[in-house]
Amino acid sequence: MPNNKTVSQEDWFQAHKAHLAREKELTRFRDRVAAERRELPWLKIRKDYVFETEQGPKKLPDLFGGNSQGQDSLIQKMKAAAKAIADRKV
């Protein structure tokens, strides 16, 4: 069991306010680092990834029957999911 001090309400409130300030500082720092990560340059992927499907191996464009709109939609959803995770919304 922790051996924390028992203090007056005023002392507790002062300690609590100081702790909240540090938590806010940490949150703002984490937000800045996450924003920096989102601004990192992208790397063009040159490898042709092959996915195993019920119909056999397929490349990404083949998964959408050559329909680039479906592929673009998937990529946009993946980017949105990554951003939501980075923003701690998921």
Side-chain angles (χ1 to χ4, degrees):
M1 178 165 211
N3 191 17
N4 296 25
K5 289 192 319 184
T6 302
V7 296
S8 69
Q9 184 173 1
E10 180 61 30
D11 288 346
W12 176 87
F13 185 69
Q14 293 304 320
H16 179 68
K17 278 180 25 179
H19 180 72
L20 283 178
R22 302 252 315 135
E23 283 185 331
K24 287 181 182 183
E25 178 183 323
L26 176 61
T27 298
R28 289 184 184 117
F29 178 73
R30 187 186 67 231
D31 291 346
R32 285 193 307 271
V33 170
E36 290 172 4
R37 181 180 55 249
R38 288 189 299 272
E39 295 301 318
L40 287 172
W42 289 20
L43 173 66
K44 183 169 185 154
I45 305 298
R46 300 190 187 278
K47 181 177 177 181
D48 281 332
Y49 286 94
V50 177
F51 299 86
E52 293 296 327
T53 71
E54 292 177 359
Q55 294 80 31
K58 290 191 176 190
K59 294 182 180 178
L60 184 59
D62 299 332
L63 293 175
F64 300 97
N67 178 355
S68 66
Q69 184 177 2
Q71 183 177 335
D72 292 344
S73 176
L74 173 67
I75 291 168
Q76 291 301 318
K77 287 179 183 179
M78 291 171 64
K79 287 166 58 175
K83 182 181 182 325
I85 290 168
D87 292 343
R88 304 277 188 209
K89 293 180 182 173
V90 172

